[in-house]
């Protein structure tokens, strides 16, 4: 007898996405859908998405979705969760959205330990607008607004490490950085996403998964070269790991 | 119901709670701080949520988020803070989200003066953000009107799926007056309002019944949405409200709204006592504006208009001129920067108008 062991998640629509070849948004959307199914939260799932390529997700995911003004997803999710605590709300934001224009909203939602889940896609560049410098762009990395490579001597600043920055606050419950470069890391990312949603279901508070991803189009690389670049360069600047996990502290205290 | 003595800002907030408002987000800015402070005390008592946002930008987006759940939600700010609300209000107008925003207006561009003024008329009525959207803008002139308008504003917002703006000022916000508060909606009524909104709410739905906060903004979707919004704005003729005081036989008309209109009304009485046939037209909805009231004046009898505003340069005068065209001279009687209009000033300008036109 045949047994179904794998199926497309109902969390994404049955259509071809317009994401560039090698883009990892699709992988993350799929994992979020699978996690929502596994946790049985699909019919109360709400996506508050940022502006940029992350805002394209509304065309592909299959549950309630709303778009926030650029950078304001954490503020919007705050209002949504406070007024409807039964919803399971996640923001889906890129590095420009979360770490540049929305830095204050991100910091303060974390500081209040808002009971929301934040999926942060860090690919070190503005994708949709055509490859400008992001707060997470590596030193020396070329972008359309740092044509000679990002150089702090030219007043272009340094890469910002959001997990480490938020980890300075007392508020947040869970902060982890992962990547999606190979099946093992995809599975780790999925486990982190699941934890971040479980925390919200349990009323624990602000949980962010920062996923280091690629942007082959704006990095000017093939998808495979982009994966190599994550491993060789991005992860040196953005080390993977759990930065905050209050559930562990709670267990140890027991 | 018994009348009680209340400060404008607090009466405003209490009225909102009675209307079923269960969410408020705001950021400190004078002269409206008593509104968030009142909500901070009051909302927990009724199972609502108060959030002090980290900025006006965050606050308006918390409002936007909460309103999308079908929870009656409100925010207030003042002038420069309302400028920071622009993007959020524009998003709500685009997504057709009902919410109530109060602007307790300050005295000028930039940081403005913190004292009372009416310096935000054009921003409030013509372009509160990008994209050419419109809002119903209610302009109270008494604390009682603040109370009644806030209570009603939620109904208007939900009827149209559009934000509604209350255009107040520092006098109305900070003075105390006797008011009759509206009925407190029961928990069941508040829950029913939220349940009624469920079909539109972004709260999670069965996967076959997915909701999108801003559907169809790609392709021709945005134009369709703009056409739908424009058609909705055209239904507002029925909502136009305007007070006409002693205009039946008036030869000069004072045109004024909000707190200035109250001062103008006192001036009309004194002018009448002097034998001058003065009258007052007070737009209560400044958007939609009562153009027809001005257009339908008897231009053989009425000889001139005095536009009275706590704004320099004059702003409502644009709307009056649009209605009257060049059929009548329109004089200005203006104070600004936190300087309150006085009856004496209105009388003086009215006398100057009378001298010229009568």
């Amino acid at each position: 007898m045949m047994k179904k062991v794998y199926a497309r998640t109902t969390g994404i629509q049955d259509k071809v996405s317009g994401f560039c070849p090698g883009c990892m948004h699709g992988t993350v959307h799929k994992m979020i859908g699978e996690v929502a199914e596994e946790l049985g939260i699909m019919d109360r799932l709400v996506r508050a998405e940022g502006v940029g390529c992350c805002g394209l997700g509304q065309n592909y995911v299959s549950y309630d979705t709303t778009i926030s003004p650029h950078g304001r997803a954490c503020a919007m999710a705050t209002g949504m969760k406070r007024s409807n605590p039964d919803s399971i709300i996640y923001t889906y934001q890129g590095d420009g959205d979360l770490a540049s224009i929305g830095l204050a909203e991100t910091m303060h939602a974390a500081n209040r330990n808002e009971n929301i889940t934040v999926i942060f896609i860090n690919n070190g560049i503005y994708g949709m607008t055509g490859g400008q410098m992001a707060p997470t762009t590596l030193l020396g990395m070329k972008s359309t607004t740092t044509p000679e490579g990002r150089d702090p001597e030219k007043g272009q600043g340094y890469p910002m490490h959001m997990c480490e920055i938020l980890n300075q606050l007392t508020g947040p419950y869970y902060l982890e950085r992962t990547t999606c470069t190979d099946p093992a890391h995809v599975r780790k990312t999925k486990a982190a996403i699941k934890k971040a949603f479980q925390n919200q279901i349990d009323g624990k508070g602000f949980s962010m998964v920062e996923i280091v991803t690629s942007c082959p189009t704006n990095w000017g690389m093939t998808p495979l070269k982009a994966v190599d670049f994550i491993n060789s360069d991005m992860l040196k600047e953005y080390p993977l790991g759990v930065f905050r996990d209050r559930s562990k502290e709670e267990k140890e205290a027991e | 119901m018994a009348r009680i003595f209340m400060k404008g800002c607090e009466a405003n907030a209490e009225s909102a709670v009675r209307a079923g408002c269960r969410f408020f987000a705001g950021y400190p800015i004078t002269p409206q701080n008593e509104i968030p402070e009142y909500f901070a005390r009051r909302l927990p008592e009724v199972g609502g949520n108060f959030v002090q946002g980290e900025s006006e930008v965050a606050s308006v987006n918390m409002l936007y988020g909460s309103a999308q759940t079908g929870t009656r939600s409100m925010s207030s700010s003042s002038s420069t803070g309302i400028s920071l609300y622009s993007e959020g209000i524009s998003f709500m107008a685009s997504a057709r989200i009902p919410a109530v925003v109060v602007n307790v207006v300050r005295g000028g561009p930039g940081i403005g003066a913190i004292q009372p003024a009416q310096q935000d008329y054009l921003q409030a009525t013509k372009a509160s953000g990008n994209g050419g959207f419109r809002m119903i803008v209610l302009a109270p002139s008494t604390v009682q009107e603040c109370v009644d308008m806030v209570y009603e504003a939620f109904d208007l917002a939900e009827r149209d799926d559009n934000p509604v703006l209350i255009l107040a000022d520092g006098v109305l916000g900070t003075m105390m007056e006797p008011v009759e508060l509206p009925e407190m909606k029961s928990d069941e009524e508040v829950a029913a309002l939220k349940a009624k909104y469920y079909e539109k709410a972004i709260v999670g739905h069965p996967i076959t019944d997915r909701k999108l906060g801003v559907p169809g903004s790609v392709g021709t979707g945005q134009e369709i949405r703009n056409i739908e919004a424009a058609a909705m704005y055209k239904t507002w003729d029925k909502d136009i409200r305007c007070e006409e005081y002693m205009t039946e036989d008036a030869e000069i008309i004072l045109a004024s709204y909000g707190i200035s209109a109250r001062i103008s009304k006192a001036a009309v009485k004194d002018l009448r006592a002097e034998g001058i046939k003065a009258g007052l037209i007070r737009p209560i909805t400044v958007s939609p504006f009562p153009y027809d009231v001005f257009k339908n004046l008897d231009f053989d009898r009425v000889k001139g208009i005095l536009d009275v505003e706590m704004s320099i340069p004059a702003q409502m005068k644009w709307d009056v001129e649009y209605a009257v065209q060049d059929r009548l001279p329109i004089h200005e009687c203006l104070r600004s920067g936190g300087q309150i209009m006085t009856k004496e000033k209105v009388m003086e300008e009215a006398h100057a108008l009378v001298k010229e036109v009568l």
Side-chain angles (χ1 to χ4, degrees), chain A residues 86-142:
Chain A
D86 289 343
S87 300
I88 300 298
I89 296 169
Y90 78 95
T91 73
Y92 190 88
Q93 303 174 262
D95 37 47
D97 196 87
L98 180 138
S100 186
I101 191 169
L103 182 62
E105 286 75 11
T106 308
M107 293 283 286
H108 286 272
N111 192 45
R112 292 189 303 266
N113 198 26
E114 287 295 339
N115 191 25
I116 58 172
T117 301
V118 175
I119 306 297
F120 168 33
I121 305 299
N122 176 6
N123 59 9
I125 204 145
Y126 282 75
M128 182 179 272
T129 46
Q132 295 82 6
M133 179 183 72
T136 46
T137 296
L138 304 184
L139 294 185
M141 199 169 167
K142 285 183 181 174

Side-chain angles (χ1 to χ4, degrees), chain A residues 63-66 82-83 87, chain B residues 66 68 194 203-205 210 213:
Chain A
Y63 38 85
D64 286 13
T65 306
T66 187
R82 296 274 188 123
S83 279
S87 300
Chain B
S66 171
Q68 287 180 78
K194 189 168 179 174
V203 290
H205 284 83
R210 179 199 189 204

Side-chain angles (χ1 to χ4, degrees), chain A residues 38-51:
Chain A
E38 289 164 22
L39 295 174
I41 54 171
M42 193 68 89
D43 59 358
R44 40 187 193 128
L45 189 62
V46 173
R47 171 186 172 101
E49 60 190 19
V51 170

Side-chain angles (χ1 to χ4, degrees), chain A residues 48-49 66 68-83 89 91 93 97 101-110 112 114 116 118 206, chain B residues 23 25 51-68 87:
Chain A
E49 60 190 19
T66 187
S68 70
H70 195 19
R72 319 300 171 213
C74 282
M76 179 188 268
T78 296
M80 300 183 99
K81 186 70 183 180
R82 296 274 188 123
S83 279
I89 296 169
T91 73
Q93 303 174 262
D97 196 87
I101 191 169
L103 182 62
E105 286 75 11
T106 308
M107 293 283 286
H108 286 272
R112 292 189 303 266
E114 287 295 339
I116 58 172
V118 175
F206 189 92
Chain B
F23 182 88
V51 190
Q52 177 169 329
E54 58 270 23
S55 65
E56 281 93 353
V57 173
S59 300
V60 74
N61 284 291
M62 291 171 185
L63 172 72
Y64 181 16
S66 171
Q68 287 180 78
E87 184 193 37

Side-chain angles (χ1 to χ4, degrees), chain A residues 158-178:
Chain A
Y158 298 85
M160 289 175 72
H161 308 86
M162 289 311 297
C163 277
E164 290 85 339
I165 289 171
L166 296 184
N167 197 27
Q168 299 302 308
L169 300 169
T170 309
Y173 189 81
Y174 174 61
L175 304 166
E176 180 167 355
R177 183 182 291 129
T178 67

Side-chain angles (χ1 to χ4, degrees), chain A:
Chain A
M1 195 177 140
M2 301 278 272
K3 193 175 139 199
K4 196 171 186 178
V5 291
Y6 183 81
R8 187 190 177 91
T9 171
T10 57
I12 46 178
Q13 299 174 38
D14 189 12
K15 64 183 184 190
V16 178
S17 95
F19 291 121
C20 302
C23 174
M24 295 173 180
H25 276 306
T27 311
V28 180
H29 288 159
K30 184 187 85 164
M31 286 189 283
I32 293 169
E34 288 174 355
V35 163
E37 282 173 328
E38 289 164 22
L39 295 174
I41 54 171
M42 193 68 89
D43 59 358
R44 40 187 193 128
L45 189 62
V46 173
R47 171 186 172 101
E49 60 190 19
V51 170
C53 286
C54 54
L56 292 169
Q58 66 156 329
N59 300 312
Y60 311 123
V61 303
S62 60
Y63 38 85
D64 286 13
T65 306
T66 187
I67 301 179
S68 70
H70 195 19
R72 319 300 171 213
C74 282
M76 179 188 268
T78 296
M80 300 183 99
K81 186 70 183 180
R82 296 274 188 123
S83 279
N84 208 68
D86 289 343
S87 300
I88 300 298
I89 296 169
Y90 78 95
T91 73
Y92 190 88
Q93 303 174 262
D95 37 47
D97 196 87
L98 180 138
S100 186
I101 191 169
L103 182 62
E105 286 75 11
T106 308
M107 293 283 286
H108 286 272
N111 192 45
R112 292 189 303 266
N113 198 26
E114 287 295 339
N115 191 25
I116 58 172
T117 301
V118 175
I119 306 297
F120 168 33
I121 305 299
N122 176 6
N123 59 9
I125 204 145
Y126 282 75
M128 182 179 272
T129 46
Q132 295 82 6
M133 179 183 72
T136 46
T137 296
L138 304 184
L139 294 185
M141 199 169 167
K142 285 183 181 174
S143 73
T144 58
T145 49
T146 54
E148 308 293 322
R150 186 178 193 177
D151 182 355
E153 296 299 318
K154 291 181 183 160
Q156 293 159 348
Y158 298 85
M160 289 175 72
H161 308 86
M162 289 311 297
C163 277
E164 290 85 339
I165 289 171
L166 296 184
N167 197 27
Q168 299 302 308
L169 300 169
T170 309
Y173 189 81
Y174 174 61
L175 304 166
E176 180 167 355
R177 183 182 291 129
T178 67
T179 187
C180 282
T181 45
D182 54 43
H185 282 102
V186 168
R187 288 170 71 87
K188 275 189 184 167
T189 298
K190 188 178 163 186
I193 291 172
K194 194 166 183 176
K195 194 162 196 175
F197 277 104
Q198 187 64 52
N199 289 341
Q200 186 179 161
I201 294 166
D202 297 340
K204 295 296 188 184
F206 189 92
S207 300
M208 182 177 88
V209 183
E210 173 179 344
I211 308 170
V212 180
T213 64
S214 60
C215 182
T217 300
N218 289 299
W219 288 2
M221 297 177 192
T222 64
L224 282 176
K225 276 268 186 316
V227 166
D228 290 343
F229 184 77
I230 292 178
N231 288 323
S232 61
D233 292 69
M234 289 288 280
L235 297 186
K236 273 191 194 134
E237 188 69 37
Y238 300 109
L240 306 180
V242 178
F243 291 81
R244 170 78 57 90
D245 188 355
R246 289 255 188 263
S247 69
K248 282 211 172 124
E249 294 165 33
E250 284 168 5
K251 265 186 195 150
E252 280 161 19
E254 272 169 18

Side-chain angles (χ1 to χ4, degrees), chain B residues 1-240:
Chain B
M1 196 171 277
R3 279 152 70 86
I4 56 168
F5 203 50
M6 261 185 121
K7 199 174 197 178
C9 279
E10 297 187 339
N12 228 309
E14 177 58 31
S15 179
V17 170
R18 286 169 181 246
C21 177
R22 292 295 178 268
F23 182 88
F24 182 97
Y27 184 79
I29 181 169
T30 308
Q32 59 80 59
N33 292 313
E34 293 87 344
I35 297 179
E37 284 166 357
Y38 191 89
F39 274 111
R41 288 195 303 275
R42 187 75 170 96
L43 278 174
E45 293 174 1
V46 294
N49 268 284
F50 167 84
V51 190
Q52 177 169 329
E54 58 270 23
S55 65
E56 281 93 353
V57 173
S59 300
V60 74
N61 284 291
M62 291 171 185
L63 172 72
Y64 181 16
S66 171
Q68 287 180 78
T69 70
T71 303
R72 286 197 159 185
S73 306
M74 180 172 132
S75 185
S76 65
S77 189
S78 178
S79 297
T80 178
I82 293 290
S83 293
L84 290 171
Y85 275 33
S86 299
E87 184 193 37
I89 293 173
S90 176
F91 266 69
M92 286 189 278
S94 172
R96 298 291 295 274
I97 302 299
V100 177
V101 177
V102 178
N103 182 0
V104 184
V105 180
R106 292 161 72 122
I111 200 160
I114 61 167
Q115 305 98 317
Q118 297 179 307
Q119 204 73 28
D120 296 345
Y121 180 90
L122 289 173
Q123 181 197 39
T125 59
K126 305 291 182 277
S128 293
N130 63 296
F133 68 92
R134 305 286 306 275
M135 285 188 285
I136 291 181
V137 182
L138 304 167
S141 70
T142 65
V143 175
Q144 183 66 57
E145 265 190 339
C146 284
V147 162
D148 297 341
M149 285 174 177
V150 166
Y151 198 80
E152 186 192 1
F154 289 96
D155 292 332
L156 292 172
E158 283 162 21
R159 184 196 68 188
D160 295 337
D161 286 324
N162 204 52
V164 170
L165 184 74
I166 310 280
L167 189 62
D169 62 73
V171 176
L172 289 168
T174 50
M175 77 175 165
M176 295 183 82
E177 282 196 285
V179 288
E180 201 170 301
L181 291 168
E183 203 179 320
M184 178 82 184
K185 286 196 195 299
S186 67
D187 289 348
E188 290 72 31
E189 286 173 298
V190 175
L193 283 166
K194 189 168 179 174
K196 195 175 143 195
Y197 194 80
Y198 172 78
E199 277 310 306
K200 291 181 251 182
I202 308 293
V203 290
H205 284 83
I207 216 146
T208 48
D209 188 25
R210 179 199 189 204
K211 305 298 172 201
L212 266 180
V214 189
S217 54
V218 291
T220 56
Q222 186 66 55
E223 188 186 41
I224 292 165
R225 294 173 59 71
N226 292 348
I227 289 168
E228 285 170 356
M232 186 268 289
Y233 306 149
K234 282 188 177 162
T235 67
W236 286 346
D237 281 354
K238 65 184 181 305
D239 297 310
I240 293 172

